[in-house]
Coordinates of all heavy atoms in Angstrom, one line a residue:
K184 N 59.7 43.3 172.0 CA 58.9 44.4 171.6 C 57.9 44.8 172.5 O 57.6 46.0 172.9 CB 58.2 44.1 170.2 CG 59.2 43.8 169.1 CD 58.4 43.6 167.8 CE 59.3 43.4 166.6 NZ 58.5 43.2 165.4
A185 N 57.3 43.8 173.3 CA 56.3 44.2 174.4 C 57.0 44.9 175.5 O 56.3 45.8 176.1 CB 55.5 42.9 174.7
L186 N 58.2 44.5 175.9 CA 58.8 45.1 177.0 C 59.1 46.6 176.7 O 59.4 47.4 177.7 CB 60.1 44.5 177.2 CG 60.1 43.1 178.0 CD1 61.5 42.5 178.0 CD2 59.4 43.1 179.3
Y187 N 59.1 47.0 175.5 CA 59.4 48.4 175.1 C 58.2 49.4 175.7 O 58.4 50.4 175.9 CB 59.5 48.5 173.6 CG 59.7 50.0 173.1 CD1 60.9 50.7 173.3 CD2 58.6 50.6 172.6 CE1 61.0 52.0 172.9 CE2 58.7 52.0 172.0 CZ 59.9 52.6 172.3 OH 60.1 54.0 171.8
L188 N 57.0 48.7 175.8 CA 55.9 49.5 176.2 C 55.8 49.7 177.8 O 54.8 50.3 178.3 CB 54.5 48.9 175.8 CG 54.4 48.7 174.2 CD1 53.1 47.9 174.0 CD2 54.5 50.1 173.5
S189 N 56.8 49.0 178.4 CA 56.8 49.2 179.9 C 57.1 50.7 180.3 O 58.0 51.2 179.8 CB 57.9 48.3 180.4 OG 57.9 48.3 181.8
G190 N 56.2 51.2 181.3 CA 56.4 52.6 181.6 C 55.5 53.5 180.9 O 55.3 54.7 181.3
Y191 N 54.7 53.2 179.9 CA 53.9 54.0 179.2 C 52.6 54.3 180.0 O 52.2 53.3 180.8 CB 53.5 53.4 177.8 CG 54.3 53.8 176.7 CD1 55.6 53.3 176.5 CD2 54.0 54.8 175.8 CE1 56.4 53.7 175.4 CE2 54.7 55.3 174.8 CZ 56.0 54.6 174.5 OH 56.7 55.0 173.5
R192 N 52.1 55.4 180.0 CA 50.8 55.7 180.6 C 49.7 55.6 179.6 O 49.8 56.1 178.5 CB 50.7 57.2 181.2 CG 51.6 57.4 182.4 CD 51.6 58.8 183.0 NE 52.2 59.7 182.0 CZ 51.5 60.6 181.4 NH1 50.2 60.7 181.4 NH2 52.1 61.4 180.5
I193 N 48.6 54.8 179.9 CA 47.5 54.5 179.0 C 46.3 55.3 179.4 O 46.0 55.4 180.6 CB 47.3 53.0 179.0 CG1 46.2 52.7 177.9 CG2 47.0 52.4 180.3 CD1 46.0 51.2 177.7
R194 N 45.6 55.8 178.4 CA 44.4 56.5 178.7 C 43.3 56.0 177.7 O 43.6 56.0 176.5 CB 44.5 58.0 178.5 CG 43.4 58.9 178.9 CD 43.6 60.3 178.8 NE 43.8 60.7 177.3 CZ 44.1 61.9 177.0 NH1 44.3 62.8 177.9 NH2 44.2 62.2 175.7
L195 N 42.2 55.6 178.1 CA 41.0 55.0 177.3 C 40.3 56.2 176.7 O 39.6 57.0 177.4 CB 40.2 54.1 178.1 CG 40.8 53.0 178.8 CD1 39.9 52.1 179.5 CD2 41.5 52.1 177.8
G196 N 40.3 56.4 175.4 CA 39.6 57.4 174.8 C 40.1 58.8 175.2 O 41.4 59.0 175.3
S197 N 39.2 59.7 175.4 CA 39.6 61.1 175.9 C 39.1 61.3 177.4 O 39.2 62.4 177.9 CB 38.9 62.1 175.0 OG 37.5 62.0 175.0
S198 N 38.9 60.3 178.0 CA 38.4 60.3 179.5 C 39.7 60.6 180.3 O 40.7 60.1 180.2 CB 37.6 59.1 179.9 OG 37.4 59.1 181.3
T199 N 39.3 61.4 181.5 CA 40.4 61.7 182.4 C 40.0 61.0 183.7 O 40.7 61.3 184.8 CB 40.5 63.1 182.7 OG1 39.2 63.6 183.0 CG2 41.0 63.8 181.4
D200 N 39.1 60.0 183.8 CA 38.7 59.3 185.0 C 39.8 58.5 185.4 O 40.5 57.9 184.6 CB 37.4 58.6 184.8 CG 36.8 58.0 186.0 OD1 37.4 58.3 187.1 OD2 35.8 57.3 186.0
K201 N 39.9 58.3 186.7 CA 41.0 57.4 187.2 C 40.9 55.9 186.8 O 41.9 55.3 186.6 CB 41.0 57.5 188.7 CG 42.3 56.9 189.4 CD 42.4 57.1 190.8 CE 43.5 56.5 191.5 NZ 43.5 56.7 192.9
K202 N 39.6 55.5 186.7 CA 39.4 54.1 186.2 C 39.8 53.9 184.7 O 39.8 52.8 184.3 CB 38.0 53.8 186.5 CG 37.6 53.7 188.0 CD 36.1 53.2 188.1 CE 35.8 53.2 189.6 NZ 34.4 52.7 189.8
D203 N 40.0 55.0 184.0 CA 40.3 54.9 182.6 C 41.7 55.1 182.3 O 42.2 55.2 181.1 CB 39.4 55.9 181.7 CG 38.0 55.5 181.8 OD1 37.7 54.3 182.0 OD2 37.0 56.3 181.6
T204 N 42.6 55.3 183.3 CA 43.9 55.5 183.1 C 44.8 54.6 183.9 O 44.3 53.9 184.9 CB 44.3 57.0 183.6 OG1 43.9 57.0 184.9 CG2 43.6 58.1 182.7
G205 N 46.1 54.4 183.6 CA 47.0 53.4 184.3 C 48.3 53.6 183.7 O 48.6 54.2 182.6
R206 N 49.3 53.0 184.4 CA 50.8 53.1 184.0 C 51.1 51.5 183.7 O 51.1 50.8 184.6 CB 51.6 53.7 184.9 CG 53.1 53.8 184.5 CD 54.0 54.5 185.6 NE 53.5 55.8 185.8 CZ 54.0 56.8 185.1 NH1 54.8 56.7 184.2 NH2 53.6 58.1 185.4
L207 N 51.5 51.3 182.5 CA 51.8 49.8 182.1 C 53.2 49.5 182.8 O 54.1 50.2 182.7 CB 51.9 49.8 180.6 CG 50.5 50.0 179.9 CD1 50.7 49.8 178.4 CD2 49.4 49.1 180.4
H208 N 53.1 48.2 183.3 CA 54.4 47.6 183.7 C 54.5 46.2 183.1 O 53.7 45.3 183.4 CB 54.5 47.5 185.2 CG 55.7 46.7 185.7 ND1 57.0 47.2 185.6 CD2 55.8 45.4 186.3 CE1 57.8 46.4 186.1 NE2 57.2 45.3 186.5
V209 N 55.4 46.1 182.1 CA 55.6 44.9 181.3 C 56.8 44.1 181.9 O 57.9 44.8 181.9 CB 55.6 45.2 179.8 CG1 55.6 43.8 179.0 CG2 54.4 46.0 179.4
D210 N 56.7 42.8 182.1 CA 57.9 42.0 182.7 C 57.8 40.6 182.1 O 56.8 40.2 181.6 CB 57.9 42.1 184.1 CG 59.3 41.8 184.7 OD1 60.1 41.3 183.9 OD2 59.3 41.7 185.9
F211 N 58.9 39.9 182.2 CA 58.9 38.5 181.8 C 58.1 37.7 182.7 O 58.1 38.0 184.0 CB 60.3 37.9 181.8 CG 61.3 38.7 180.9 CD1 62.4 39.5 181.3 CD2 61.1 38.5 179.5 CE1 63.1 40.2 180.5 CE2 62.0 39.1 178.7 CZ 63.0 39.9 179.1
A212 N 57.4 36.7 182.1 CA 56.6 35.8 183.1 C 57.1 34.4 182.8 O 57.5 34.1 181.7 CB 55.1 35.9 182.7
Q213 N 57.1 33.5 183.8 CA 57.5 32.2 183.7 C 56.3 31.2 183.5 O 55.4 31.1 184.4 CB 58.3 31.7 185.0 CG 59.0 30.4 184.9 CD 60.0 30.2 185.9 OE1 60.0 31.1 186.9 NE2 60.7 29.0 185.9
A214 N 56.2 30.6 182.4 CA 55.2 29.7 182.1 C 55.6 28.4 181.8 O 56.6 28.2 181.2 CB 54.4 30.3 180.9
R215 N 54.8 27.3 182.2 CA 55.2 25.9 182.0 C 55.3 25.6 180.4 O 56.2 24.8 180.1 CB 54.3 25.0 182.8 CG 54.2 25.2 184.2 CD 53.3 24.2 184.9 NE 53.3 24.3 186.3 CZ 52.5 23.7 187.2 NH1 51.6 23.0 186.7 NH2 52.6 23.9 188.5
D216 N 54.3 26.2 179.7 CA 54.3 25.8 178.3 C 55.5 26.3 177.6 O 56.0 25.7 176.8 CB 53.0 26.4 177.7 CG 51.7 25.8 178.2 OD1 51.8 24.7 178.8 OD2 50.6 26.5 178.1
D217 N 55.9 27.6 177.9 CA 57.2 28.1 177.3 C 58.4 27.2 177.6 O 59.1 26.9 176.7 CB 57.4 29.5 177.8 CG 56.3 30.4 177.4 OD1 55.5 30.1 176.5 OD2 56.2 31.5 177.9
L218 N 58.4 26.8 178.9 CA 59.6 25.9 179.3 C 59.6 24.6 178.7 O 60.6 24.1 178.2 CB 59.7 25.8 180.9 CG 60.8 25.0 181.4 CD1 62.1 25.7 181.0 CD2 60.7 24.9 182.9
Y219 N 58.4 24.0 178.5 CA 58.2 22.7 177.9 C 58.6 22.9 176.4 O 59.4 21.9 175.9 CB 56.8 22.3 178.0 CG 56.5 20.8 177.4 CD1 57.0 19.7 177.9 CD2 55.8 20.8 176.2 CE1 56.9 18.5 177.3 CE2 55.5 19.6 175.6 CZ 56.1 18.5 176.1 OH 55.9 17.3 175.5
E220 N 58.1 23.8 175.7 CA 58.5 23.9 174.3 C 59.9 24.2 174.1 O 60.6 23.6 173.1 CB 57.6 25.1 173.7 CG 56.2 24.8 173.5 CD 55.4 25.9 172.9 OE1 56.1 27.0 172.6 OE2 54.1 25.9 172.8
W221 N 60.6 25.1 175.0 CA 62.0 25.3 174.9 C 62.8 24.1 175.1 O 63.7 23.7 174.4 CB 62.4 26.4 175.9 CG 63.8 26.7 175.9 CD1 64.4 27.5 175.0 CD2 64.8 26.3 176.8 NE1 65.8 27.6 175.2 CE2 66.1 26.9 176.3 CE3 64.8 25.4 177.8 CZ2 67.2 26.5 177.0 CZ3 66.0 25.0 178.4 CH2 67.2 25.6 178.0
E222 N 62.4 23.2 176.1 CA 63.2 22.0 176.4 C 63.0 21.0 175.2 O 64.0 20.3 174.8 CB 62.7 21.4 177.7 CG 63.1 22.0 178.9 CD 62.5 21.5 180.2 OE1 61.7 20.6 180.0 OE2 62.9 21.9 181.4
C223 N 61.7 20.8 174.6 CA 61.5 20.0 173.5 C 62.4 20.4 172.3 O 63.1 19.6 171.7 CB 60.2 20.0 173.1 SG 59.1 19.2 174.3
K224 N 62.5 21.8 172.2 CA 63.3 22.3 171.0 C 64.8 22.0 171.2 O 65.5 21.6 170.3 CB 63.1 23.8 170.9 CG 63.6 24.3 169.6 CD 63.2 25.8 169.4 CE 63.7 26.4 168.1 NZ 63.3 27.8 168.0
Q225 N 65.3 22.2 172.4 CA 66.6 21.9 172.7 C 67.0 20.5 172.6 O 68.0 20.1 172.1 CB 67.0 22.4 174.2 CG 66.9 23.9 174.4 CD 67.9 24.6 173.4 OE1 69.1 24.2 173.4 NE2 67.4 25.6 172.7
R226 N 66.1 19.6 173.0 CA 66.2 18.1 172.8 C 66.3 17.8 171.4 O 67.2 17.0 170.9 CB 65.2 17.3 173.6 CG 65.4 17.3 175.0 CD 64.6 16.2 175.7 NE 63.1 16.5 175.5 CZ 62.4 17.2 176.5 NH1 63.0 17.6 177.6 NH2 61.1 17.4 176.3
M227 N 65.5 18.3 170.5 CA 65.6 18.1 169.2 C 66.9 18.6 168.5 O 67.5 17.8 167.8 CB 64.4 18.7 168.5 CG 64.3 18.5 166.9 SD 63.0 19.5 166.2 CE 63.7 21.1 166.3
L228 N 67.2 19.8 168.9 CA 68.5 20.3 168.4 C 69.7 19.5 168.8 O 70.7 19.3 168.1 CB 68.6 21.8 168.8 CG 67.7 22.8 168.1 CD1 67.8 24.1 168.8 CD2 67.9 22.8 166.7
A229 N 69.7 19.0 170.1 CA 70.8 18.2 170.6 C 70.8 16.8 169.8 O 71.9 16.3 169.6 CB 70.6 17.9 172.1
R230 N 69.6 16.3 169.5 CA 69.6 15.0 168.8 C 70.2 15.2 167.4 O 70.9 14.4 166.8 CB 68.2 14.5 168.6 CG 67.6 13.8 169.9 CD 66.4 13.0 169.5 NE 65.3 13.9 169.1 CZ 64.4 14.5 169.8 NH1 64.4 14.3 171.1 NH2 63.4 15.2 169.3
E231 N 69.7 16.4 166.8 CA 70.4 16.7 165.4 C 71.9 16.9 165.5 O 72.6 16.4 164.6 CB 69.7 18.0 164.9 CG 68.3 17.7 164.5 CD 67.6 19.1 164.0 OE1 68.3 20.1 164.0 OE2 66.5 19.0 163.6
E232 N 72.3 17.5 166.5 CA 73.8 17.7 166.7 C 74.5 16.4 167.0 O 75.6 16.2 166.3 CB 74.0 18.6 167.8 CG 75.5 19.0 168.1 CD 76.1 19.7 167.1 OE1 75.3 20.4 166.2 OE2 77.4 19.8 167.0
R233 N 73.9 15.4 167.8 CA 74.5 14.2 168.0 C 74.6 13.4 166.7 O 75.6 12.7 166.3 CB 73.8 13.3 169.0 CG 74.1 14.0 170.4 CD 73.7 12.9 171.5 NE 72.2 12.6 171.4 CZ 71.2 13.3 172.0 NH1 71.6 14.2 172.8 NH2 70.1 12.9 171.9
H234 N 73.5 13.5 165.9 CA 73.4 12.7 164.7 C 74.5 13.3 163.7 O 75.2 12.5 163.1 CB 72.1 12.9 164.1 CG 72.0 12.1 162.8 ND1 71.9 10.8 162.6 CD2 71.7 12.7 161.4 CE1 71.8 10.5 161.4 NE2 71.7 11.5 160.7
R235 N 74.7 14.6 163.6 CA 75.7 15.2 162.7 C 77.0 14.8 163.2 O 77.8 14.5 162.2 CB 75.5 16.8 162.8 CG 76.4 17.4 161.8 CD 76.2 19.0 162.0 NE 76.7 19.4 163.2 CZ 77.9 19.6 163.7 NH1 78.9 19.4 162.9 NH2 78.1 20.1 164.9
R236 N 77.3 14.8 164.5 CA 78.7 14.4 164.9 C 79.0 13.0 164.6 O 80.0 12.5 164.3 CB 78.8 14.7 166.4 CG 78.9 16.2 166.8 CD 79.0 16.4 168.2 NE 79.2 17.8 168.5 CZ 79.2 18.3 169.8 NH1 79.1 17.5 170.8 NH2 79.2 19.6 170.0
R237 N 77.9 12.1 164.9 CA 78.1 10.7 164.6 C 78.5 10.5 163.0 O 79.3 9.6 162.7 CB 76.8 9.9 164.9 CG 77.1 8.4 165.0 CD 75.7 7.7 165.3 NE 75.2 8.1 166.7 CZ 74.2 8.8 166.9 NH1 73.4 9.1 165.9 NH2 73.8 9.1 168.1
L238 N 77.7 11.2 162.2 CA 78.0 11.0 160.8 C 79.4 11.5 160.5 O 80.2 10.9 159.7 CB 77.1 11.9 160.0 CG 75.6 11.4 159.9 CD1 74.7 12.4 159.1 CD2 75.6 10.0 159.3
E239 N 79.9 12.5 161.1 CA 81.3 13.1 160.9 C 82.3 12.1 161.4 O 83.4 11.8 160.8 CB 81.5 14.4 161.6 CG 80.8 15.6 160.8 CD 81.1 16.8 161.6 OE1 81.8 16.9 162.6 OE2 80.6 18.0 161.0
E240 N 81.9 11.5 162.6 CA 83.0 10.5 163.1 C 83.0 9.3 162.3 O 84.1 8.7 162.0 CB 82.5 10.1 164.5 CG 82.7 11.2 165.6 CD 82.2 10.7 167.0 OE1 81.7 9.7 167.1 OE2 82.4 11.5 167.9
E241 N 81.8 8.9 161.7 CA 82.0 7.7 160.8 C 82.6 8.0 159.5 O 83.3 7.1 158.9 CB 80.5 7.2 160.5 CG 79.8 6.6 161.7 CD 78.3 6.2 161.5 OE1 77.9 6.5 160.3 OE2 77.7 5.7 162.4
R242 N 82.5 9.2 159.1 CA 83.2 9.6 157.8 C 84.7 9.6 157.9 O 85.4 9.2 157.1 CB 82.7 11.1 157.4 CG 83.2 11.4 156.1 CD 82.2 12.5 155.4 NE 82.2 13.7 156.3 CZ 83.0 14.8 156.2 NH1 84.0 14.7 155.3 NH2 83.0 15.7 157.1
F243 N 85.2 10.1 159.1 CA 86.6 10.3 159.4 C 87.2 9.0 160.1 O 88.4 9.0 160.3 CB 86.9 11.4 160.3 CG 86.6 12.7 159.6 CD1 85.7 13.6 159.9 CD2 87.5 13.2 158.6 CE1 85.4 14.8 159.3 CE2 87.4 14.3 157.9 CZ 86.3 15.2 158.3
R244 N 86.4 8.0 160.4 CA 86.9 6.7 161.0 C 87.7 5.9 160.0 O 87.3 5.7 158.8 CB 85.7 5.9 161.6 CG 86.2 4.8 162.4 CD 84.9 4.0 162.9 NE 84.1 4.8 163.7 CZ 82.9 4.5 164.0 NH1 82.3 3.5 163.5 NH2 82.2 5.4 164.8
P245 N 88.9 5.5 160.4 CA 89.7 4.6 159.5 C 89.0 3.4 159.2 O 88.3 2.8 160.0 CB 91.0 4.4 160.2 CG 90.7 4.6 161.6 CD 89.5 5.6 161.6
P246 N 89.1 2.9 157.9 CA 88.5 1.6 157.5 C 89.1 0.5 158.4 O 90.3 0.4 158.6 CB 88.8 1.5 156.0 CG 90.0 2.3 155.9 CD 89.9 3.4 156.8
S247 N 88.2 -0.5 158.6 CA 88.8 -1.7 159.4 C 89.4 -2.6 158.5 O 89.3 -2.7 157.3 CB 87.5 -2.4 159.9 OG 86.6 -2.8 158.9
P248 N 90.4 -3.4 159.0 CA 91.2 -4.3 158.1 C 90.4 -5.4 157.6 O 89.3 -5.8 158.1 CB 92.3 -4.8 159.1 CG 91.7 -4.6 160.5 CD 90.8 -3.5 160.4
P249 N 90.8 -5.9 156.4 CA 90.0 -6.9 155.9 C 90.0 -8.2 156.8 O 91.1 -8.5 157.4 CB 90.7 -7.2 154.6 CG 92.0 -6.7 154.7 CD 92.0 -5.5 155.7
P250 N 88.9 -8.9 156.8 CA 88.9 -10.2 157.8 C 89.7 -11.2 157.1 O 89.9 -11.5 155.9 CB 87.4 -10.6 157.7 CG 86.8 -10.0 156.4 CD 87.6 -8.8 156.2
V251 N 90.4 -12.1 158.1 CA 91.2 -13.2 157.7 C 90.3 -14.4 157.5 O 89.5 -14.7 158.4 CB 92.3 -13.4 158.7 CG1 93.1 -14.6 158.3 CG2 93.1 -12.2 158.8
V252 N 90.5 -15.1 156.3 CA 89.6 -16.2 156.1 C 90.0 -17.4 157.1 O 91.1 -17.4 157.7 CB 89.9 -16.7 154.7 CG1 89.4 -15.7 153.7 CG2 91.3 -17.1 154.4
H253 N 89.1 -18.3 157.3 CA 89.2 -19.5 158.2 C 90.1 -20.5 157.5 O 90.2 -20.6 156.3 CB 87.9 -20.1 158.6 CG 87.1 -19.1 159.5 ND1 87.4 -19.0 160.9 CD2 86.1 -18.3 159.3 CE1 86.6 -18.1 161.4 NE2 85.8 -17.6 160.5
Y254 N 90.8 -21.3 158.3 CA 91.7 -22.3 157.7 C 91.0 -23.4 157.0 O 89.9 -23.9 157.5 CB 92.6 -22.9 158.8 CG 93.5 -24.1 158.4 CD1 94.7 -23.7 157.7 CD2 93.1 -25.3 158.5 CE1 95.5 -24.6 157.3 CE2 93.9 -26.3 158.1 CZ 95.2 -26.0 157.4 OH 96.0 -27.0 157.0
S255 N 91.5 -23.8 155.9 CA 90.9 -24.9 155.1 C 92.1 -25.5 154.2 O 93.1 -24.8 154.0 CB 89.6 -24.6 154.3 OG 90.0 -23.7 153.4
D256 N 91.9 -26.6 153.7 CA 93.0 -27.1 152.8 C 93.2 -26.3 151.5 O 94.4 -26.0 151.1 CB 92.7 -28.6 152.4 CG 92.6 -29.5 153.6 OD1 93.3 -29.2 154.7 OD2 92.0 -30.5 153.6
H257 N 92.1 -25.8 151.0 CA 92.2 -25.0 149.8 C 92.9 -23.7 150.1 O 93.8 -23.2 149.5 CB 90.7 -24.7 149.3 CG 90.8 -23.7 148.1 ND1 91.4 -24.0 147.0 CD2 90.3 -22.5 148.1 CE1 91.2 -22.9 146.1 NE2 90.5 -22.0 146.8
E258 N 92.4 -23.0 151.2 CA 93.0 -21.7 151.7 C 94.5 -21.9 152.0 O 95.3 -21.0 151.8 CB 92.3 -21.2 152.9 CG 90.9 -20.6 152.6 CD 90.8 -19.7 151.5 OE1 91.8 -18.9 151.4 OE2 89.7 -19.4 150.8
C259 N 94.9 -23.1 152.7 CA 96.2 -23.4 153.0 C 97.0 -23.5 151.7 O 98.2 -22.9 151.6 CB 96.3 -24.7 153.8 SG 98.0 -25.2 154.2
S260 N 96.6 -24.1 150.6 CA 97.3 -24.2 149.3 C 97.4 -22.8 148.7 O 98.6 -22.4 148.3 CB 96.7 -25.1 148.4 OG 95.4 -24.6 148.2

Side-chain angles (χ1 to χ4, degrees):
K184 294 182 178 181
L186 287 174
Y187 177 73
L188 300 176
S189 182
Y191 269 78
R192 290 182 291 109
I193 183 171
R194 186 178 68 184
L195 302 180
S197 60
S198 175
T199 58
D200 191 3
K201 189 176 181 181
K202 294 182 179 181
D203 294 333
T204 60
R206 186 181 294 275
L207 297 179
H208 175 70
V209 186
D210 197 356
F211 299 108
Q213 189 168 4
R215 295 179 181 176
D216 296 339
D217 297 344
L218 183 61
Y219 176 72
E220 289 180 4
W221 181 80
E222 288 177 350
C223 291
K224 191 173 183 180
Q225 292 300 311
R226 283 195 291 269
M227 181 186 67
L228 294 173
R230 284 195 298 271
E231 291 178 357
E232 181 68 15
R233 286 197 300 271
H234 180 66
R235 184 182 62 80
R236 289 181 181 175
R237 193 181 300 113
L238 290 178
E239 288 183 357
E240 289 176 359
E241 290 177 358
R242 187 161 58 91
F243 291 108
R244 185 179 299 162
S247 58
V251 179
V252 296
H253 292 281
Y254 176 81
S255 64
D256 294 337
H257 173 68
E258 295 294 337
C259 179
S260 61

